[in-house]
Amino acid sequence: MAHESFAFSPSALRSLRLQRELLERDDRRRALARGWTERRLLPGTPPSPPRRRQFCRDPAVHNALYAGDLRRVQSIFRDEATANVVLETVSEELAWSPEQGLWVLSPRRQHTSALRIAAARGYEDCARHLLLRGAAVDAVVGGRAPLHDSAAAPHPNCARLLLAFGADPNVLSADGSAPLHLCTAPQSLRCAELLLAHGAQVNLGTRDRQVTALHVAARQGLLAHVELYLHHGADPSLRTHQGETPLNAAAAAAERPEDAERFLRVAERLLAAGAEPGAAGRKGHTPLHNACANGHPAMARLLLRHGADAAIPNGAGDTPMDCALRAVREYRQQRPEETLTLLLDHGALPAHPKMLRLCCQHPPALEVMLNAYDRVPPADGWVEAVPPELWEEHQEFYASAVRMAGRPRRLQHLARVAIRRHLGARCRAAVPRLALPPPLRRYLQLPIEGLIS
């Protein structure tokens, strides 16, 4: 029996291999802990000299990593020195040469690490092999650490592996971003959860701009991320260096009509968490300025309901009404007349008559604005901007607007203007409760009738 061998089953071999990897990982952790203790806790121990970086430009090595070829990776990266080699690629790019006065091809070098490549592509087995061979888990090569790449990809399996090997969840990239700042896709929610579970600072701002993870999630319209961060103590009142809050970011990013609903949900959640609806950010823009500029009546209604000022000017002196009028042409399919009526119902003053040129090609918006005056302004400021085909399509409306320009309005309209001015910002809430017949209450709310009389 001494010369006989015992045949291991495949499952037994896998268990032995896993046990060996766990032992190697524990040895690696203990070695790192000893090194950290010697450097940080023993004052008499001289710091270890910085290791000189080794560079690799071999395409075969790069291809093995990018393809996730575990066998080749195992044969190439056998020790700590090879696991930490810097991979360099050189590409030719056009660059302007002032000396020669022309565009020339200039070499551009890009650096990365083997662990970064594996983490960015979700090659968990390759990443585990590199870590067991001593790859520095937090090494920032080419501007990022491996954890940045796994969060940005996103690849939760690699993020979990890196964190298990002691990766710093708050490691900063060359531009001052933490991994949590790179969770910008809906699929990155699991990565964000892992990072927070391992100690990521939810209110940490980027180094230069002080953008937090909540700013990023709000700007991307990621409701699940917003709720996760708020649950972990994210502060919705934190501002960037430009003064923007997460609510500013959400309102500014809601530019496309197809994204309006998800940004609205994000804004609702932020306001429920205590976000300030009137916080002025970059160039003095409030969230209401942004909502009006993006032709988003539902967002404007939400902000106004939470107390946003409908008449506040931004840094350039523009009010939300000015922003809404400038957006009429681009967002005419989004019923911009609703936004204009909302602003007027919450105390906004009618825009200067010269602004009518901005909404004259959308008859419902022009009607709302003309009915906000006690006397229709002269038409010469906008009538020439109406295309002939549009005039022909809405001839009855445009003819009535030109006919009434400069003439006294009906007593009924003058009474409407007087009541609305008296109520001011209370119009929206007070008019439906007035003891008046329903047709009169509706008349006070500036309904679209298709005529100016």
Side-chain angles (χ1 to χ4, degrees), residues 7-20:
F8 288 96
S9 66
S11 60
L13 288 173
R14 283 195 298 270
S15 298
L16 290 173
R17 186 167 58 250
L18 178 61
Q19 184 178 11
R20 185 189 65 190

Side-chain angles (χ1 to χ4, degrees), residues 281-306:
R282 185 168 59 92
K283 298 181 180 180
H285 261 42
T286 66
L288 184 58
H289 282 93
N290 288 317
C292 292
N294 290 332
H296 200 330
M299 180 82 76
R301 184 180 297 108
L302 173 69
L303 294 166
L304 289 165
R305 189 169 69 240
H306 281 80

